[in-house]
Amino acid sequence: GPDRGWPGSRIGSRPSRDLSPALLMPAISVIIPVHDLGPYLAETVQSVLDQTCQDFEVLILDDGSTDPETCALLESFERPKTTVFREPNRGLGPARNFLLAKARGRAICALDADDLLHPEYLERTLAALDANLELAFVSTWLETFGIEERVYRPSSCDLETLLAECQIHCSSLVRREVLEALGGYDEGMPHMGGQAIAARSCPRSCSATAGAGWTRWASSAPRVRFGASSGATSSPSTKRSTASTR
């Protein structure tokens, strides 16, 4: 078994060795950094496992958690399609980039450890990306619940709007080639991941497309669910000519 206490060690499911690498390449990598959010993690991962689209992998990074409950959970956390890594604490941005380097999917969903996905989220956002190869990412409506209940329905994600107001959530489905062309997640803006990616990859205008919504939730903030809706927004990529690997 792995040396669970060492940085970079892996815990969890492993692919069967008798399958070819091509068959093991998922369409989507869901990356989940965790720092002392153990009480929410199982529910978050289950929202991924319950997706109508099952062409994914789940990569979790224990980003130097010190909470005993979180540490105990991650020590033995095993779920289908899921791998757990452990590293010293470096923060959200570096944690996402660590997982991005491990990811095998052609699209990336950066899910916070206390967020949830609607069951159709991956199916509908991936369909939008596949339907238009010029799209860099697909974002959606979101619903908060818990201490605050509302549905947020962004109407557009053109560059001018993005610079004035964050219209894109961090779990937007992003083409891997776009993230790599941008140098990964902006470690200087870890809590504005969606807006940072959109502003860096967005041309002068963006198109609207049907997609799914989601919900985020946190222990000290409103919980959020990303659920099915007709209000997804997406952005044409300006990096397609120079970033053709994702």
Side-chain angles (χ1 to χ4, degrees):
D3 296 322
R4 294 182 176 180
W6 291 94
S9 63
R10 298 193 295 176
I11 309 169
S13 64
R14 286 179 172 76
S16 172
R17 294 183 179 179
D18 60 356
L19 295 177
S20 69
L23 294 176
L24 298 175
M25 297 291 287
I28 300 169
S29 294
V30 180
I31 61 174
I32 308 177
V34 183
H35 181 74
D36 294 345
L37 286 173
Y40 306 105
L41 182 62
E43 186 178 6
T44 295
V45 173
Q46 193 60 48
S47 78
V48 182
L49 298 179
D50 289 341
Q51 292 293 299
T52 55
C53 170
Q54 287 288 303
D55 194 1
F56 63 81
E57 65 177 352
V58 179
L59 304 180
I60 298 171
L61 175 63
D62 176 11
D63 185 34
S65 295
T66 58
D67 169 61
E69 182 177 357
T70 301
C71 293
L73 175 70
L74 290 172
E75 186 68 25
S76 59
F77 192 83
E78 294 187 2
R79 296 293 190 278
K81 305 185 180 187
T82 302
T83 304
V84 177
F85 300 87
R86 311 194 82 161
E87 285 282 300
N89 177 252
R90 294 179 56 206
L92 182 58
R96 284 177 175 161
N97 283 328
F98 175 93
L99 292 174
L100 176 61
K102 303 291 185 182
R104 297 174 297 140
R106 57 186 170 85
I108 306 295
C109 173
L111 184 61
D112 286 350
D114 54 357
D115 289 0
L116 302 174
L117 297 180
H118 183 278
E120 296 180 6
Y121 181 80
L122 296 182
E123 178 183 357
R124 299 184 67 177
T125 53
L126 182 62
L129 276 185
D130 286 346
N132 186 345
L133 296 181
E134 294 304 310
L135 295 181
F137 64 90
V138 178
S139 190
T140 65
W141 294 358
L142 64 87
E143 174 193 12
T144 64
F145 63 98
I147 64 173
E148 178 184 347
E149 297 187 5
R150 68 185 180 97
V151 176
Y152 180 61
R153 300 179 175 90
S155 58
S156 65
C157 64
D158 60 274
L159 183 57
E160 183 177 356
T161 301
L162 287 171
L163 293 176
E165 180 182 1
C166 181
Q167 299 279 325
I168 308 301
H169 59 71
C170 66
S171 295
S172 300
L173 193 66
V174 187
R175 292 190 191 277
R176 180 178 186 143
E177 65 184 39
V178 172
L179 280 171
E180 290 174 345
L182 295 173
Y185 291 92
D186 190 339
E187 297 183 2
M189 301 176 65
H191 299 289
M192 299 182 68
Q195 186 179 28
I197 289 170
R200 292 157 67 202
S201 66
C202 185
R204 296 177 183 175
S205 63
C206 302
S207 62
T209 181
W214 60 297
T215 300
R216 169 187 296 169
W217 47 276
S219 56
S220 59
R223 299 177 70 176
V224 184
R225 176 176 303 122
F226 306 107
S229 76
S230 60
T233 54
S234 48
S235 167
S237 171
T238 56
K239 302 293 184 179
R240 297 294 296 176
S241 60
T242 59
S244 59
T245 60
R246 184 190 283 224

